[in-house]
Amino acid sequence: MAYVPKMLLVGRCVRCGKRIFRGERRFRCSKCGIYTCPLCHKKSQGRCPVCGMKLEEV
């Protein structure tokens, strides 16, 4: 039986709770250190849902 490696889970989107993996596109707040998925980044207009700072793509 072959072992299938799992993708590394970086965290969860703060707004919707979706799992964010290492190879996926994600956005991070430099002040809070939280992650958001691309869909929530678009819905929040590029701003952090917690503090309101601009998100940067990681």
Side-chain angles (χ1 to χ4, degrees):
M1 187 156 65
Y3 174 74
V4 179
K6 294 182 180 179
M7 296 179 73
L8 182 64
L9 181 69
V10 175
R12 288 187 177 263
C13 176
V14 168
R15 193 166 181 271
C16 69
K18 179 186 171 197
R19 292 179 182 173
I20 300 175
F21 295 100
R22 184 176 58 187
E24 294 179 342
R25 190 171 168 219
R26 61 189 187 267
F27 298 90
R28 183 175 181 272
C29 177
S30 58
K31 184 177 178 183
C32 303
I34 61 168
Y35 290 102
T36 53
C37 66
L39 183 64
C40 291
H41 177 261
K42 185 177 178 182
K43 287 183 178 179
S44 64
Q45 300 174 352
R47 297 284 178 186
C48 175
V50 176
C51 67
M53 288 197 58
K54 187 170 178 160
L55 296 170
E56 57 186 29
E57 188 171 356
V58 179

